[in-house]
Amino acid sequence: MLIGISPILSPELLNALYRMGHGDEIVLADAHFPGESFNENVIRADGLKIAALLEGICPLFALDEYVDNPLAMMAAVPGDELDPSVENGYLAAIRQTWPETRPSERIERFAFYERAKKAYAVVMTGETAKYGNIILKKGVTPVSQ
Amino acid sequence: MLIGISPILSPELLNALYRMGHGDEIVLADAHFPGESFNENVIRADGLKIAALLEGICPLFALDEYVDNPLAMMAAVPGDELDPSVENGYLAAIRQTWPETRPSERIERFAFYERAKKAYAVVMTGETAKYGNIILKKGVTPVSQ
Amino acid sequence: MLIGISPILSPELLNALYRMGHGDEIVLADAHFPGESFNENVIRADGLKIAALLEGICPLFALDEYVDNPLAMMAAVPGDELDPSVENGYLAAIRQTWPETRPSERIERFAFYERAKKAYAVVMTGETAKYGNIILKKGVTPVSQ
Amino acid sequence: MLIGISPILSPELLNALYRMGHGDEIVLADAHFPGESFNENVIRADGLKIAALLEGICPLFALDEYVDNPLAMMAAVPGDELDPSVENGYLAAIRQTWPETRPSERIERFAFYERAKKAYAVVMTGETAKYGNIILKKGVTPVSQ
Amino acid sequence: MLIGISPILSPELLNALYRMGHGDEIVLADAHFPGESFNENVIRADGLKIAALLEGICPLFALDEYVDNPLAMMAAVPGDELDPSVENGYLAAIRQTWPETRPSERIERFAFYERAKKAYAVVMTGETAKYGNIILKKGVTPVSQ
Amino acid sequence: MLIGISPILSPELLNALYRMGHGDEIVLADAHFPGESFNENVIRADGLKIAALLEGICPLFALDEYVDNPLAMMAAVPGDELDPSVENGYLAAIRQTWPETRPSERIERFAFYERAKKAYAVVMTGETAKYGNIILKKGVTPVSQ
Amino acid sequence: MLIGISPILSPELLNALYRMGHGDEIVLADAHFPGESFNENVIRADGLKIAALLEGICPLFALDEYVDNPLAMMAAVPGDELDPSVENGYLAAIRQTWPETRPSERIERFAFYERAKKAYAVVMTGETAKYGNIILKKGVTPVSQ
Amino acid sequence: MLIGISPILSPELLNALYRMGHGDEIVLADAHFPGESFNENVIRADGLKIAALLEGICPLFALDEYVDNPLAMMAAVPGDELDPSVENGYLAAIRQTWPETRPSERIERFAFYERAKKAYAVVMTGETAKYGNIILKKGVTPVSQ
Amino acid sequence: MLIGISPILSPELLNALYRMGHGDEIVLADAHFPGESFNENVIRADGLKIAALLEGICPLFALDEYVDNPLAMMAAVPGDELDPSVENGYLAAIRQTWPETRPSERIERFAFYERAKKAYAVVMTGETAKYGNIILKKGVTPVSQ
Amino acid sequence: MLIGISPILSPELLNALYRMGHGDEIVLADAHFPGESFNENVIRADGLKIAALLEGICPLFALDEYVDNPLAMMAAVPGDELDPSVENGYLAAIRQTWPETRPSERIERFAFYERAKKAYAVVMTGETAKYGNIILKKGVTPVSQ
C-alpha cells in the first residue's frame, strides 16, 4: 500500500497504468470477457467491480483530451438493449475525478475486439453487468512537479 | 468463471487451493503484511476483504479436523487489545459453510511469522482491520464422486 | 482437491476452464490427435476417457447458448462410418448437467483442425474411440452470487 | 501413444520413470497428499487410481532387488487401522508383472514424509483410499538388447 | 532405462515419439544436415546410426497406413547417384518390426526441406551416409489395453 | 506517469514501494555501494540524488512508527568525520511530508551491510556524497479510503 | 561507476549504446511517450532530462556522418507550434562534444513512430517538454587504440 | 581449453560452429556492424581480429565446395575503394588450412545484410578494418572416423 | 560436425569438456546410474558405450598429472567381484591417446557418489557393464599455439 | 563500440565493471582456471591476454585505496617458482593508468579459490602464463562530473 493510491489496485495494474503512455488504451473487462484470447498482457482483478476500479484509477490517470472520446464501450447487438445504469455508474465514478467527462463512445462488437487486441492490457474484473466492458485511453499526465 | 466457484477467487488462488494437500496452510494476509518477504508464493487479492474471501473459499475447502484447531490468528502484542469483531466476521463467513467451526487459535506474532514462511502460499488481501491475518489449514476433502 | 470439483480435473485443466471466457473453445482430443502440433496450450489428461471428463467439466461449465451449437465433432471422412455410441456417450455425460443439449454439429476434418488451432486449449485425453474428438464452446457463466 | 507403453502414463511420468536410475524412488501419492510442499518434481496424474498406474508402470519398471524391500507404505497411526484391500489391490497390480513381489514395508508417517522429500518425483494421483501412498524403488533394468 | 524400450533412445527422443500424434512427422537427419536452421525442436542423437535408431524406434512406433507412403527420403540431385545400401539398411531395420514396409518415397531436395521445417522434430544423428536423411510419419498406435 | 506520483520514481521502484509491507526496509544506496553483491533485488536509479528520491518517495510512503527510528545511516568509521549536510538534506526532503521526523539512527558499517542484505530492495542511486546511504523502514500506510 | 563514463547512464543504457552498431538508432523519449507499445527494448531513465542524458551520451557516442542528418525530431502537428528552446537545449548538450552538429531533421509524427518501432531501443526519460522526443543514429566509432 | 582447438574460440562460438550443418552460414562481423539488429544469435568475440579467428576456425571447419564460392564479402559502395590487404589477410589465414581457397565473392551491401539476417549466427569481432565483414558457408565435414 | 572432433560427442558434451578447467571432474556414468539425482548438470549420451566415448574425448582432453591418479572407478562392494575387462577396455581407449595412463584408482561406492555430486557434469551413457562408471579429472591443456 | 572505451571489453565485462561497487572483486583468470565451478557469474574473454585486458580495464576502473593492496595473485606452491615477468607485465599495463601501483599481494592457492568464489565475477581469459590469475578490488570511482 502507498499513501494516496487506492489499495484496490494490484501492483500489476498500478505498474501497467504507470508504464502506459499518451494514447495507450486499457480494457476493463467483465468476468465473461475472453481476455486471455485477445491480449497477452492480462491483469487479473477478480472480485472487483468496474465502477470501484474506476474510482481507484481515475485520480491517477488522465484521460486523453486529444481524441473525440477517451472512453469506448460496446454498442448493443441489434435486437438487444443497453441498460443505461451500467454506463451511468461508470460515469459517476469517473466524474468524481473528471466531472466534465462525456458519455462513452459506443463501438460495434468486433471493432471493440480489435481494440482489445491492440490494447496495452486487458484487466479481467469481477464485473458481471451486461455490456460492461470499457476502454480507457490515456492522456497527457499533467506535470506539477 | 465457473459455475459454483465464487468469482471472487482469482485463477491463481483457485489453483493454489486446489493443489494444496492435507495439512498444507494458506495465509490470508492484511494489506500491510510483509508477505513478499516471508514467502515466495504470494497471491495478490488486492481490494478484497478477508471475510468475503472466506465466503468464497470455504464452500470448496475442508478445514483440517485432525488438528486441535485449523485456524490461527495473531495474539495481541502485550498492551494491545483485539477488536473481537474482526474474528467474529471471519467466523460468520466460515460458519456459513462450516457451522461448527470454533474460534481461532491465537499465536504469538513471531510464531505466526514462522508459519507464514512455511505456508503453501500467502494471499495479499485488501483487508485493513488490525490483527486481521488468518491461517487456514487444509483438511481431507470429502470424496463424493 | 476441492469440494464440488471433480478430482478428475487436473489443476491445469481447471485453470484453463476458469480463465476461458464467453466464446472461447476447448478441444477434448483423443489419444491419437496431433494436439502438440496444432496448439501451444496443450493440457495432458492421459488415461482419462472423454465421457468421464465431460462428467467432471459440465457441472462447472456453461455451454454457449448464443451460437447454433456449442458442440462440434468431426464428420466422417467419405467412405467411413461413424459409430453413434461415441457421441451418445458424450451426450449422456453432458446431459447429466445440461439435459437439453442437442447433438453435436459435425464439421469437416480440416475445418476441425482449423478450430483446434484457434482453440484456447487442447486436452490430450486417453480416449481411443474413433471420431472421438469434441470441441466445447464456453457460454456465459450464470451468476448466482 | 507408443506401442507397448500403457497410455495411462503421461509423457511427464514416462520421462521421469525413464530418467530414474538404480536406487531412485518415486512416490505414487493419493489425492490428499501435500506433494507440492514436499518435492519440487511433482507429476500430476489426476483422476487415475494407483492400482491402474501400477499396472501401467510395472511392465516397464524393474523393482530394486538389492534392498530388503523395494516398496514402502505408511504404517497406520496408533489407534488407526489399515484396510488390507488397499495394499492387496496394489500387489495384485504389481504381481501381474512381478509375481514374486512381497508385501510392502510399512514405515512411520514422518519417515515416509522424509523419503517423499528425497524422492525423484511425487505423482499426484486420483487415489482416495486411506493410507494409499506407495513408494517404488527402481532396480537395475534388465538389458536384453 | 525401462524394460522393453531400447536404451538407444534418449529421454528427449522418447518424449517426442510419445507426444507425436497421427500424421505428425519426425526427421532422422544425418550429421551434416542443417537441422538447427530448419526446426526449433532439434533432438541430438550424436554418434548413433540411423539404422540403429530405427531398430529402437520401430517396435514402439506405428507407421501411418492412411497415406501412400509413411517414409520419405531425398531424391538424388540430377547427376548424382544413390547408394541403394543406405535405404536397404533402413528398410531392414524397419522390417524387423514392420515386415510389409515398402521402399521409401523419394522427394526432391527442397520439398524435403519444407517437410523438415514442418516436422514435429528433427533428430540429429551420427549418420554419415550420403542421402541418409529419412522422414517417418506416425500412424494410429494400435490399442491393446 | 500518473497524477500525484513523482515521475522521478521508476516503475520498478514504485512497484517495490507498493509491495513492501509493514516492517520491510529499503536501502537508498550511493553510487559506490556494492549493492549487487548484497541483495538480489537491486533497483537502478542512476543519475538521481537521494534527497530528490526522498522527496518523491515520502508523500507515498509511511515511515514505521512502531520502532525507535525508521531511518538508519552508517556511522563514521573511527577517524573519519561525517558531513552533517548530507543527513540534513535528507531530513529536509523527508520533513516536507513528515515534519516530525527525527535524525537517523547511526549504525556501524558492517551492521549496515547486514541490514542491506535482508532489505526488501537496494536502490542504486546517483548519489555521491560520502556516508550517503540510508535505510527506510516502512510503516503502516494510513487507510483513508 | 566507471571513470570517464557519466554516472547518469544506467548499466542497461550503457550496454545498449555499446552494442549498437553503425546505423542503429536509439530514441530518447519524453515521459508521455508510449514507448512500451512501440518497442520491446525499453530502457527506463525516469527522472532524467534529455539534455542531461545527451551530455552523458555524446562523449561516448559517434553520430552517423554518412546520412543527411543523424538527429530526428517530430515535426509539429499542423496548427501546433514548436518551442525552439527544446531543440536548442539538446543541441547545446550535443555540441559540447560535437560542435559541428546541425539542427535536427523534423519528421512527421507517424513516420517518427515507425522509426521508434524499428529502433534498437527506446529510452523512457523524465523529459516533459512538448515535442521533446529525439532519435540518434549511431555512426562509426573512431578507433584510437 | 581442449587439445587441438584454438583457445581463441569461445565456447559459444565453438558450439555454433559444431551445430551448423551443410549450407549454414556464419558472419564474422567487424566491431561497427549492427549485428544485434540483424540476427538473434549474436556471439561476442570482442577484441579479436577476424584473421586470427579464421586461423582458429578453419582447421575445424570445412568450407562448402558445392557452391560457387563459400566466402562472401561486401562490395565497395560506388565511389568507395577497397583496401585489398583486408581480404588478403583473411585469405592468408584461411589458406593455412585450405590452400586452394579462391578470393571471396563480393556482394552488394544490402544483399549482404539479407544474408546476415538469415545466417546461423553473427560473430561480433574486434576487427576495425573497413569492408572487413566476411561470411563463411559450411561444407560437408570430412569423416575420418 | 567439425574436423578433428569425434562426432560421437554431442554439442553439450563438447561444451562441458571445453569449459572445464584444471582439476574439474566429469563422470561417465552407466545407464543405470542415478545421475539426475546427484548432479544438476546431466548430459545425455544414450546408446553410446563408455569406451567409445573415451576414444572421442581423450584426443581433446588432458588428464590431470598433478594428482596421484586422474581416473577413479568404484571399488567392488564386499562380496562382489570386478570384471577386469571393463577397466581394460577403458584403458585401451584412453591409451590410444595417453599410452602412459595407469590403472584407475578404486574408491568406495559412497565416496564415488560424493565426487559425482561435486563433479562438473555427469554424462549418462548407454554403458551397461557392471562397475562401469568412471571419473576423469581434467589436467592442464598443453598450449601449442 | 563507444569512444574512450577499449573495444577489447565485451559488453558483459563492461557491464560487470560498471555495476561493481566499492570493495567488490573481479578475477581475471587464466585459460586453465576452473572458473565455472567457482562462481556463477563467469564472463568469457577467450583469446585475450590478461595484460591487454588490464590496459583496457584500468582507465575506467579505480583500484581500492582503502585496503593494503587492491591486487592479489596466487603464491607459488612450495617447490614451485614464480616467473616474475608475468606480474611485471601486469603491473606495466596497470601503471599506464595508475603509475603508483605496488606489486600484488600473494596469497595461498586455496585462499585464492575462496576469494574467487566470493568475487563479483570471474573473467575467463586466453592467458596461459603459469600463476597468471589476478584479482582486482574496485575502489571509489573519482567523481568529476
Side-chain angles (χ1 to χ4, degrees), chain H residues 1-3 5-12 14-15 17-20 58-62 98 138 141-143 145, chain I residues 1-3 5-12 14-15 17-20 58-62 98 138 141-143 145:
Chain H
M1 288 178 76
L2 290 173
I3 299 167
I5 298 180
S6 166
I8 205 175
L9 307 177
S10 67
E12 292 85 0
L14 180 62
N15 187 43
L17 295 172
Y18 196 51
R19 287 181 184 266
M20 288 170 66
C58 285
L60 304 171
F61 190 90
W98 307 106
K138 191 174 179 179
T141 308
V143 182
Q145 211 193 11
Chain I
M1 289 177 74
L2 291 174
I3 298 167
I5 299 180
S6 166
I8 205 175
L9 307 177
S10 67
E12 292 84 1
L14 180 62
N15 188 43
L17 295 171
Y18 196 51
R19 288 180 183 267
M20 288 170 66
C58 285
L60 304 172
F61 190 89
W98 308 106
K138 191 173 178 180
T141 307
V143 181
Q145 211 194 10

Side-chain angles (χ1 to χ4, degrees), chain F residues 6-24:
Chain F
S6 166
I8 205 175
L9 307 176
S10 67
E12 292 83 3
L13 178 50
L14 180 63
N15 187 44
L17 296 170
Y18 196 52
R19 287 180 183 267
M20 288 170 66
H22 179 195
D24 280 329

Side-chain angles (χ1 to χ4, degrees), chain A residues 10-21 24 26 41 43 61 120-121 123 138, chain F residues 2:
Chain A
S10 66
E12 292 85 0
L13 178 50
L14 180 62
N15 187 43
L17 295 171
Y18 197 52
R19 287 181 184 266
M20 286 170 67
D24 280 329
I26 192 165
N41 189 182
I43 297 168
F61 190 90
Y120 186 85
V123 186
K138 191 173 180 179
Chain F
L2 290 173

Side-chain angles (χ1 to χ4, degrees), chain D residues 55-127:
Chain D
E55 279 184 51
I57 291 169
C58 285
L60 304 172
F61 191 90
L63 294 170
D64 195 352
E65 297 179 340
Y66 289 74
V67 292
D68 283 353
N69 199 322
L71 307 180
M73 297 180 74
M74 238 185 244
V77 168
D80 218 345
E81 215 166 316
L82 294 178
D83 172 355
S85 73
V86 177
E87 180 174 351
N88 287 344
Y90 294 0
L91 288 173
I94 295 170
R95 286 171 180 157
Q96 290 178 22
T97 307
W98 308 105
E100 307 301 321
T101 306
R102 286 178 303 127
S104 172
E105 174 184 14
R106 288 284 170 174
I107 60 180
E108 186 273 341
R109 186 174 154 210
F110 290 100
F112 191 95
Y113 288 166
E114 286 311 304
R115 277 172 74 172
K117 287 178 192 168
K118 291 179 189 147
Y120 186 85
V122 172
V123 186
M124 293 301 300
T125 75
E127 184 61 54

Side-chain angles (χ1 to χ4, degrees), chain F residues 31-37 124, chain G residues 1, chain J residues 16-25 61 120 137-141:
Chain F
H32 303 294
F33 195 73
E36 313 244 3
S37 294
M124 293 301 300
Chain G
M1 288 178 76
Chain J
L17 296 170
Y18 197 51
R19 288 180 182 267
M20 287 170 67
H22 179 195
D24 280 328
E25 299 190 334
F61 191 89
Y120 186 85
K137 189 185 271 291
K138 191 173 179 180
V140 175
T141 308

Side-chain angles (χ1 to χ4, degrees), chain H residues 5 8 10-12 16 21 25 48-49 52-53 63 71 73 79 86 96 110 133:
Chain H
I5 298 180
I8 205 175
S10 67
E12 292 85 0
E25 299 191 333
L48 300 173
K49 296 299 180 192
L53 283 161
L63 294 170
L71 308 179
M73 298 180 74
V86 177
Q96 289 179 20
F110 291 100
N133 304 298

Side-chain angles (χ1 to χ4, degrees), chain D residues 2-76:
Chain D
L2 291 174
I3 298 167
I5 299 180
S6 168
I8 205 175
L9 306 176
S10 66
E12 292 84 3
L13 178 50
L14 180 63
N15 188 43
L17 296 170
Y18 196 52
R19 287 181 184 267
M20 288 170 65
H22 179 196
D24 279 329
E25 299 191 334
I26 191 165
V27 184
L28 302 185
D30 69 42
H32 304 294
F33 195 75
E36 313 245 2
S37 294
F38 281 164
N39 199 295
E40 288 201 341
N41 190 180
V42 169
I43 297 169
R44 303 296 310 194
D46 302 87
L48 301 173
K49 296 298 178 192
I50 287 180
L53 282 162
L54 288 168
E55 279 184 51
I57 291 169
C58 285
L60 304 172
F61 191 90
L63 294 170
D64 195 352
E65 297 179 340
Y66 289 74
V67 292
D68 283 353
N69 199 322
L71 307 180
M73 297 180 74
M74 238 185 244

